[in-house]
Coordinates of all heavy atoms in Angstrom, one line a residue:
M1 N 89.5 96.3 173.0 CA 89.5 96.1 174.5 C 89.4 97.6 175.1 O 90.0 98.4 174.6 CB 90.7 95.4 175.0 CG 90.7 95.1 176.4 SD 92.1 94.1 177.0 CE 91.9 92.6 176.1
D2 N 88.5 97.7 176.0 CA 88.3 99.0 176.6 C 89.3 99.4 177.6 O 90.0 98.5 178.2 CB 86.8 99.2 177.2 CG 86.7 98.3 178.4 OD1 87.2 98.5 179.5 OD2 85.9 97.2 178.2
Y3 N 89.5 100.7 177.9 CA 90.5 101.2 178.8 C 90.3 100.6 180.2 O 91.3 100.3 180.8 CB 90.4 102.7 178.9 CG 91.2 103.3 179.9 CD1 92.7 103.4 179.7 CD2 90.8 103.7 181.1 CE1 93.5 103.9 180.7 CE2 91.6 104.2 182.1 CZ 92.9 104.3 181.9 OH 93.8 104.8 182.9
Q4 N 89.1 100.5 180.7 CA 88.9 100.0 182.0 C 89.4 98.5 182.2 O 90.1 98.2 183.2 CB 87.4 100.0 182.4 CG 87.1 100.4 183.8 CD 85.6 100.6 183.9 OE1 84.8 100.3 183.1 NE2 85.2 101.1 185.1
T5 N 89.2 97.7 181.3 CA 89.7 96.3 181.3 C 91.2 96.3 181.2 O 91.8 95.6 182.0 CB 89.1 95.5 180.1 OG1 87.7 95.5 180.2 CG2 89.6 94.1 180.1
L6 N 91.8 97.0 180.3 CA 93.2 97.2 180.2 C 93.9 97.6 181.5 O 94.8 97.1 182.0 CB 93.7 98.1 179.1 CG 93.7 97.5 177.7 CD1 94.1 98.6 176.7 CD2 94.7 96.3 177.6
Q7 N 93.2 98.6 182.2 CA 93.8 99.2 183.4 C 93.7 98.1 184.6 O 94.6 98.0 185.3 CB 93.0 100.5 183.8 CG 93.6 101.1 185.0 CD 95.0 101.6 184.9 OE1 95.3 102.3 183.9 NE2 96.0 101.2 185.7
S8 N 92.6 97.4 184.6 CA 92.4 96.3 185.6 C 93.4 95.2 185.4 O 94.0 94.8 186.4 CB 91.0 95.8 185.5 OG 90.8 94.8 186.4
Q9 N 93.6 94.9 184.2 CA 94.7 93.8 183.9 C 96.1 94.3 184.3 O 96.9 93.6 185.0 CB 94.6 93.4 182.4 CG 93.4 92.7 182.0 CD 93.4 92.4 180.5 OE1 94.0 93.1 179.8 NE2 92.7 91.4 180.1
Y10 N 96.4 95.6 183.9 CA 97.7 96.2 184.2 C 97.9 96.2 185.7 O 98.9 95.9 186.2 CB 97.8 97.6 183.6 CG 99.1 98.3 184.0 CD1 100.3 97.9 183.2 CD2 99.2 99.1 185.1 CE1 101.5 98.5 183.5 CE2 100.4 99.6 185.4 CZ 101.6 99.3 184.6 OH 102.7 99.9 185.0
D11 N 96.9 96.6 186.4 CA 97.0 96.7 187.9 C 97.4 95.4 188.5 O 98.2 95.3 189.4 CB 95.8 97.3 188.5 CG 95.5 98.8 188.2 OD1 96.4 99.4 187.7 OD2 94.4 99.2 188.4
R12 N 96.7 94.3 188.1 CA 97.0 93.0 188.6 C 98.4 92.5 188.2 O 99.1 92.0 189.0 CB 95.9 92.0 188.1 CG 94.6 92.2 188.8 CD 93.6 91.2 188.4 NE 92.4 91.3 189.1 CZ 91.3 92.0 188.7 NH1 91.3 92.5 187.5 NH2 90.3 92.1 189.5
I13 N 98.8 92.8 187.0 CA 100.1 92.4 186.5 C 101.2 93.2 187.2 O 102.2 92.6 187.7 CB 100.2 92.7 184.9 CG1 99.3 91.7 184.1 CG2 101.7 92.5 184.5 CD1 99.1 92.1 182.7
Y14 N 101.0 94.4 187.4 CA 102.0 95.3 188.1 C 102.2 94.8 189.5 O 103.2 94.7 190.0 CB 101.6 96.7 188.0 CG 102.5 97.7 188.7 CD1 103.6 98.2 188.0 CD2 102.4 98.0 190.0 CE1 104.5 99.0 188.6 CE2 103.3 98.9 190.6 CZ 104.3 99.3 189.9 OH 105.3 100.2 190.5
S15 N 101.1 94.5 190.2 CA 101.1 94.1 191.6 C 101.9 92.7 191.6 O 102.8 92.6 192.5 CB 99.8 93.9 192.1 OG 99.8 93.4 193.4
Y16 N 101.6 91.8 190.8 CA 102.3 90.6 190.7 C 103.8 90.8 190.5 O 104.7 90.2 191.3 CB 101.7 89.6 189.7 CG 102.5 88.3 189.5 CD1 102.1 87.3 190.4 CD2 103.5 88.2 188.7 CE1 102.8 86.1 190.4 CE2 104.2 87.0 188.6 CZ 103.9 85.9 189.4 OH 104.5 84.8 189.4
F17 N 104.2 91.5 189.5 CA 105.6 91.7 189.1 C 106.3 92.5 190.2 O 107.5 92.2 190.5 CB 105.7 92.4 187.8 CG 105.7 91.4 186.6 CD1 104.5 90.8 186.2 CD2 106.8 91.0 186.0 CE1 104.5 89.9 185.2 CE2 106.9 90.1 185.0 CZ 105.6 89.5 184.6
R18 N 105.7 93.5 190.8 CA 106.4 94.2 191.9 C 106.8 93.4 193.1 O 107.7 93.7 193.8 CB 105.5 95.4 192.3 CG 105.8 96.7 191.7 CD 107.1 97.2 192.0 NE 107.4 98.2 191.0 CZ 108.5 98.6 190.5 NH1 109.6 97.9 190.8 NH2 108.7 99.5 189.6
T19 N 105.9 92.4 193.4 CA 106.1 91.6 194.6 C 106.9 90.3 194.3 O 107.3 89.7 195.3 CB 104.8 91.3 195.3 OG1 104.0 90.6 194.3 CG2 104.1 92.6 195.7
T20 N 107.1 89.9 193.1 CA 107.6 88.6 192.8 C 108.8 88.6 191.9 O 109.5 87.5 191.7 CB 106.6 87.6 192.2 OG1 106.2 88.1 190.9 CG2 105.4 87.4 193.2
C21 N 109.2 89.7 191.2 CA 110.2 89.7 190.2 C 111.4 90.7 190.6 O 111.3 91.4 191.5 CB 109.6 90.1 188.9 SG 108.4 88.9 188.3
E22 N 112.4 90.5 189.8 CA 113.5 91.4 189.9 C 113.0 92.9 189.6 O 112.1 93.0 188.9 CB 114.6 91.1 188.8 CG 115.2 89.7 189.1 CD 116.0 89.6 190.4 OE1 116.7 90.7 190.7 OE2 116.0 88.6 191.0
P23 N 113.8 93.8 190.1 CA 113.4 95.3 189.9 C 113.4 95.5 188.3 O 114.1 95.0 187.6 CB 114.5 96.0 190.5 CG 115.0 95.1 191.6 CD 114.9 93.7 191.0
F24 N 112.5 96.4 188.0 CA 112.3 96.9 186.5 C 111.9 98.3 186.6 O 111.5 98.9 187.6 CB 111.3 96.0 185.8 CG 109.9 96.0 186.5 CD1 109.0 96.9 186.2 CD2 109.6 95.0 187.4 CE1 107.7 97.0 186.8 CE2 108.3 95.0 188.0 CZ 107.4 96.0 187.7
D25 N 112.0 99.0 185.4 CA 111.6 100.4 185.3 C 110.2 100.6 185.1 O 109.6 101.4 185.7 CB 112.5 101.1 184.3 CG 113.9 101.3 184.6 OD1 114.2 101.3 185.9 OD2 114.8 101.3 183.8
F26 N 109.7 99.9 184.1 CA 108.2 100.0 183.8 C 107.7 98.7 183.0 O 108.5 98.0 182.5 CB 107.8 101.3 183.1 CG 108.3 101.4 181.7 CD1 107.5 101.1 180.7 CD2 109.6 102.0 181.5 CE1 108.0 101.3 179.4 CE2 110.0 102.1 180.2 CZ 109.2 101.8 179.1
L27 N 106.4 98.6 183.0 CA 105.7 97.6 182.2 C 105.0 98.2 181.1 O 104.3 99.2 181.3 CB 104.8 96.8 183.1 CG 105.4 96.1 184.3 CD1 104.3 95.5 185.1 CD2 106.4 95.0 183.9
D28 N 105.0 97.6 179.9 CA 104.2 98.0 178.8 C 103.2 97.0 178.4 O 103.6 95.9 177.9 CB 105.1 98.4 177.6 CG 104.4 99.0 176.4 OD1 103.3 99.4 176.6 OD2 105.0 99.0 175.3
W29 N 101.9 97.2 178.7 CA 100.9 96.2 178.5 C 99.9 96.7 177.5 O 99.3 97.8 177.7 CB 100.2 95.9 179.8 CG 99.0 95.0 179.7 CD1 97.8 95.3 180.1 CD2 99.0 93.6 179.3 NE1 96.9 94.2 179.9 CE2 97.6 93.2 179.4 CE3 99.9 92.7 178.8 CZ2 97.2 91.9 179.1 CZ3 99.5 91.4 178.5 CH2 98.2 91.1 178.6
D30 N 99.6 95.9 176.4 CA 98.6 96.3 175.4 C 97.4 95.4 175.4 O 96.5 95.5 174.5 CB 99.2 96.5 174.0 CG 99.7 95.1 173.4 OD1 99.5 94.0 174.1 OD2 100.2 95.1 172.3
G31 N 97.3 94.5 176.3 CA 96.2 93.6 176.4 C 96.5 92.2 175.7 O 95.7 91.3 175.9
K32 N 97.6 92.2 175.0 CA 98.1 90.9 174.4 C 99.5 90.6 174.7 O 99.8 89.4 174.9 CB 98.0 91.0 172.9 CG 96.5 91.2 172.4 CD 96.5 91.3 170.9 CE 95.0 91.6 170.4 NZ 95.0 91.9 169.0
I33 N 100.3 91.6 174.7 CA 101.8 91.4 175.0 C 102.2 92.3 176.2 O 101.9 93.4 176.2 CB 102.6 91.7 173.8 CG1 102.2 90.9 172.5 CG2 104.1 91.6 174.0 CD1 102.6 89.4 172.6
L34 N 103.0 91.7 177.1 CA 103.6 92.5 178.1 C 105.1 92.5 177.9 O 105.7 91.5 177.7 CB 103.3 91.8 179.5 CG 104.1 92.4 180.7 CD1 103.5 93.8 181.0 CD2 104.0 91.5 181.9
E35 N 105.6 93.8 177.9 CA 107.0 94.0 177.8 C 107.5 94.5 179.2 O 106.9 95.5 179.7 CB 107.4 94.9 176.8 CG 107.1 94.4 175.3 CD 107.5 95.4 174.3 OE1 107.5 96.7 174.5 OE2 107.7 95.0 173.1
V36 N 108.6 94.0 179.7 CA 109.2 94.4 181.0 C 110.4 95.2 180.6 O 111.3 94.6 179.9 CB 109.5 93.2 181.9 CG1 110.1 93.7 183.2 CG2 108.2 92.3 182.2
W37 N 110.5 96.4 181.0 CA 111.6 97.3 180.6 C 112.4 97.6 181.8 O 112.0 97.8 182.9 CB 111.0 98.6 180.1 CG 110.4 98.5 178.7 CD1 109.2 98.1 178.4 CD2 111.0 99.0 177.5 NE1 109.0 98.1 177.1 CE2 110.1 98.7 176.5 CE3 112.2 99.6 177.2 CZ2 110.3 99.0 175.2 CZ3 112.5 99.9 175.8 CH2 111.5 99.6 174.8
D38 N 113.7 97.6 181.5 CA 114.7 98.0 182.6 C 115.9 98.7 181.8 O 116.4 98.1 180.8 CB 115.2 96.8 183.4 CG 116.0 97.2 184.6 OD1 115.7 98.2 185.2 OD2 117.1 96.5 184.8
K39 N 116.2 99.8 182.4 CA 117.3 100.6 181.7 C 117.2 100.8 180.2 O 118.1 100.4 179.4 CB 118.7 100.0 182.1 CG 118.9 100.1 183.6 CD 120.3 99.5 183.9 CE 120.6 99.5 185.4 NZ 119.9 98.5 186.2
D40 N 116.1 101.3 179.8 CA 115.8 101.5 178.4 C 115.9 100.4 177.4 O 116.1 100.6 176.2 CB 116.7 102.6 177.9 CG 116.5 104.0 178.6 OD1 115.4 104.3 179.0 OD2 117.6 104.7 178.8
K41 N 115.6 99.2 177.9 CA 115.5 98.1 177.0 C 114.6 97.0 177.5 O 114.4 96.9 178.7 CB 116.9 97.4 176.8 CG 117.5 96.7 177.9 CD 118.9 96.1 177.5 CE 119.4 95.4 178.8 NZ 120.6 94.6 178.4
V42 N 114.0 96.3 176.7 CA 113.0 95.2 177.0 C 113.9 94.0 177.5 O 114.8 93.5 176.9 CB 112.2 94.7 175.9 CG1 111.3 93.5 176.2 CG2 111.4 95.8 175.3
V43 N 113.5 93.6 178.8 CA 114.3 92.5 179.4 C 113.5 91.2 179.4 O 114.1 90.1 179.5 CB 114.8 92.8 180.8 CG1 115.8 93.9 180.7 CG2 113.7 93.2 181.7
E44 N 112.1 91.3 179.3 CA 111.3 90.1 179.2 C 110.1 90.4 178.5 O 109.6 91.6 178.5 CB 110.9 89.6 180.6 CG 112.0 89.1 181.5 CD 111.6 88.7 182.8 OE1 110.4 88.6 183.1 OE2 112.5 88.3 183.6
T45 N 109.5 89.5 177.8 CA 108.2 89.6 177.1 C 107.4 88.4 177.4 O 107.8 87.3 177.4 CB 108.5 89.6 175.5 OG1 109.4 90.7 175.2 CG2 107.2 89.9 174.7
Y46 N 106.1 88.7 177.6 CA 105.1 87.7 177.9 C 103.8 87.8 177.1 O 103.4 89.0 176.8 CB 104.7 87.7 179.4 CG 105.8 87.5 180.4 CD1 106.5 88.6 180.8 CD2 106.1 86.2 180.8 CE1 107.5 88.4 181.8 CE2 107.1 86.0 181.7 CZ 107.8 87.1 182.2 OH 108.8 86.9 183.1
K47 N 103.3 86.8 176.6 CA 101.9 86.8 175.9 C 100.8 86.6 177.0 O 101.1 86.1 178.1 CB 101.9 85.7 174.9 CG 102.8 85.8 173.8 CD 102.7 84.6 172.8 CE 103.6 84.9 171.7 NZ 103.6 83.8 170.7
Y48 N 99.7 87.1 176.6 CA 98.5 87.0 177.5 C 98.3 85.6 178.1 O 98.2 85.4 179.3 CB 97.3 87.5 176.8 CG 96.0 87.3 177.6 CD1 95.7 88.3 178.6 CD2 95.2 86.2 177.4 CE1 94.5 88.1 179.4 CE2 94.0 86.1 178.3 CZ 93.7 87.0 179.2 OH 92.6 86.8 180.0
K49 N 98.4 84.6 177.3 CA 98.1 83.2 177.7 C 99.2 82.8 178.7 O 98.9 82.0 179.6 CB 98.0 82.3 176.6 CG 99.3 82.0 175.8 CD 99.1 81.0 174.7 CE 100.4 80.7 174.0 NZ 100.4 79.7 173.1
D50 N 100.4 83.2 178.6 CA 101.5 82.9 179.5 C 101.2 83.5 180.9 O 101.4 82.9 181.9 CB 102.9 83.3 179.0 CG 103.2 82.6 177.7 OD1 102.8 81.4 177.5 OD2 103.9 83.2 176.8
L51 N 100.8 84.8 180.8 CA 100.5 85.5 182.1 C 99.3 84.8 182.8 O 99.4 84.7 184.0 CB 100.1 87.0 181.8 CG 101.3 87.8 181.3 CD1 100.7 89.2 180.8 CD2 102.3 88.0 182.3
R52 N 98.4 84.4 182.1 CA 97.2 83.7 182.7 C 97.6 82.5 183.4 O 97.0 82.1 184.4 CB 96.1 83.3 181.6 CG 95.4 84.4 181.0 CD 94.2 84.8 181.8 NE 93.3 83.7 181.9 CZ 92.3 83.6 182.8 NH1 92.1 84.6 183.6 NH2 91.6 82.6 182.9
S53 N 98.7 81.8 183.1 CA 99.1 80.6 183.7 C 99.6 80.9 185.1 O 99.6 79.9 186.0 CB 100.1 79.8 182.9 OG 101.4 80.5 182.9
F54 N 100.1 82.1 185.5 CA 100.6 82.4 186.8 C 99.9 83.6 187.5 O 100.1 83.8 188.7 CB 102.1 82.5 186.8 CG 102.7 83.5 185.9 CD1 103.0 84.7 186.4 CD2 103.2 83.1 184.7 CE1 103.6 85.6 185.5 CE2 103.7 84.0 183.8 CZ 104.0 85.2 184.3
I55 N 99.1 84.3 186.7 CA 98.3 85.4 187.3 C 96.9 85.1 187.1 O 96.4 85.4 186.1 CB 98.7 86.8 186.8 CG1 100.2 87.0 186.9 CG2 98.0 87.9 187.6 CD1 100.7 88.3 186.3
T56 N 96.3 84.4 187.9 CA 94.9 83.7 187.7 C 93.8 84.8 187.7 O 92.8 84.5 187.1 CB 94.6 82.7 188.7 OG1 94.7 83.3 190.0 CG2 95.6 81.6 188.6
K57 N 94.0 86.0 188.2 CA 92.9 87.0 188.3 C 92.8 87.8 187.0 O 92.0 88.7 186.9 CB 93.0 87.8 189.5 CG 92.8 87.1 190.8 CD 92.9 88.0 191.9 CE 92.7 87.2 193.2 NZ 92.9 88.1 194.4
I58 N 93.7 87.6 186.0 CA 93.6 88.4 184.7 C 92.5 87.8 183.9 O 92.5 86.6 183.6 CB 95.0 88.3 184.0 CG1 96.1 88.9 184.8 CG2 94.8 89.0 182.7 CD1 97.4 88.8 184.1
K59 N 91.6 88.7 183.5 CA 90.5 88.3 182.7 C 90.4 89.1 181.5 O 90.8 90.3 181.4 CB 89.2 88.3 183.5 CG 89.2 87.4 184.6 CD 87.9 87.5 185.4 CE 88.0 86.6 186.6 NZ 86.9 86.8 187.5
K60 N 89.9 88.6 180.4 CA 89.7 89.4 179.2 C 88.4 90.3 179.3 O 87.5 90.0 180.0 CB 89.5 88.5 178.0 CG 90.8 88.1 177.4 CD 90.6 87.5 176.0 CE 91.9 87.3 175.4 NZ 91.9 86.8 174.1

């Protein structure tokens, strides 16, 4: 997956999580798995297909 696609996906994911979820420190997205980090530990993990179910603008 190219950098531009990953960045576009990350931007959409970040926007969604910033406006709808509990505060977090950062998101780690590799195009397949999203890890939500808070205070130096992973607090949630999502697979791409799970994210697609609630963030409809994410495309491969």
Side-chain angles (χ1 to χ4, degrees):
M1 187 173 300
D2 65 72
Y3 172 78
Q4 220 171 5
T5 301
L6 276 176
Q7 186 62 51
S8 175
Q9 289 174 341
Y10 177 84
D11 291 344
R12 287 183 175 99
I13 292 167
Y14 182 85
S15 177
Y16 177 85
F17 274 78
R18 264 299 163 213
T19 59
T20 64
C21 298
E22 295 293 321
F24 57 88
D25 289 332
F26 69 94
L27 302 174
D28 185 17
W29 173 243
D30 68 2
K32 296 178 184 177
I33 302 289
L34 172 71
E35 293 179 336
V36 181
W37 288 76
D38 190 39
K39 296 180 178 79
D40 297 326
K41 67 179 183 175
V42 175
V43 292
E44 294 180 4
T45 303
Y46 298 91
K47 293 181 181 178
Y48 174 80
K49 68 178 184 172
D50 298 328
L51 293 171
R52 289 273 303 162
S53 69
F54 56 91
I55 307 175
T56 57
K57 294 182 180 179
I58 296 177
K59 298 180 180 167
K60 275 195 173 184

